[in-house]
Amino acid sequence: MLHDLPPDDSADPAQGATGHTPDPALVGSILYVVRLDYFGKLPKSKQAKLIELNPLARKKAPVFYVGQTRLEAWKRYENHLQGYRASRWVEKHGKRLITVDTWKPDFGVALPESAVRAAFDLARRNRGEPGKREKALAELLRSHGYYVISN
């Protein structure tokens, strides 16, 4: 119970357990990527939306969701899967979290070293404009022929 916490402890155990509140020590935001279901497994309406957003994507290319958060990436991914402030794409079709803010992120696909480094540089935690960084990472993946969903 909250009233059992010592007065100098401001942590709310319920929020800490769910991962909805960012750690105050973490400053700025990071980008993360979620690998979604294969294109062919998605409903036809979602396939049409992906083709509209990614006209240059290769057939049978992987589908990625790019997002931003002040939380740790794994906590944000869990929130998606549990339906808390979730993208329906990730909630229903999320398969694997790719922590892009770690050195040499593993996208599970062949990307040139320069693209992997660029993704890492964009994704690292900083106070820069996360919306612009998110868009740049989405365009980076699109330029390599992948399907990308982003806000």
Side-chain angles (χ1 to χ4, degrees), residues 44-88:
K44 296 292 183 195
S45 62
K46 292 201 175 188
Q47 288 179 8
K49 178 74 171 171
L50 280 171
I51 291 170
E52 178 186 324
L53 292 172
N54 305 278
L56 302 177
R58 299 184 317 256
K59 285 187 177 183
K60 298 185 181 180
V63 183
F64 296 108
Y65 172 87
V66 177
Q68 59 178 298
T69 184
R70 288 185 52 219
L71 301 171
E72 293 179 45
W74 66 270
K75 285 183 182 178
R76 182 65 188 111
Y77 181 59
E78 283 182 354
N79 287 346
H80 276 295
L81 296 180
Q82 294 170 0
Y84 179 77
R85 296 185 58 156
S87 160
R88 297 294 174 239

Side-chain angles (χ1 to χ4, degrees), residues 22-41:
D23 182 345
L26 301 176
V27 178
S29 63
I30 60 168
L31 301 183
Y32 63 96
V33 175
V34 176
R35 177 79 178 259
L36 303 177
D37 277 332
Y38 289 101
F39 183 83
K41 287 186 170 184

Side-chain angles (χ1 to χ4, degrees), residues 1-4 10 25 35 52 102 122-123 128 130 135 142:
M1 295 182 138
L2 285 177
H3 62 280
D4 293 336
S10 60
R35 177 79 178 259
E52 178 186 324
T102 58
L122 287 167
K135 186 175 181 176
R142 281 187 182 114

Side-chain angles (χ1 to χ4, degrees), residues 63-134:
V63 183
F64 296 108
Y65 172 87
V66 177
Q68 59 178 298
T69 184
R70 288 185 52 219
L71 301 171
E72 293 179 45
W74 66 270
K75 285 183 182 178
R76 182 65 188 111
Y77 181 59
E78 283 182 354
N79 287 346
H80 276 295
L81 296 180
Q82 294 170 0
Y84 179 77
R85 296 185 58 156
S87 160
R88 297 294 174 239
W89 287 88
V90 177
E91 184 180 6
K92 294 180 185 228
H93 307 289
K95 291 297 173 198
R96 181 172 76 93
L97 173 67
I98 301 166
T99 50
V100 188
D101 64 324
T102 58
W103 179 238
K104 293 205 175 184
D106 179 16
F107 286 91
V109 295
L111 278 174
E113 182 74 23
S114 60
V116 172
R117 283 190 181 153
F120 169 73
D121 288 339
L122 287 167
R124 291 187 309 187
R125 187 173 297 278
N126 70 48
R127 295 182 184 186
E129 295 184 45
K132 287 183 180 179
R133 294 185 302 132
E134 181 179 338

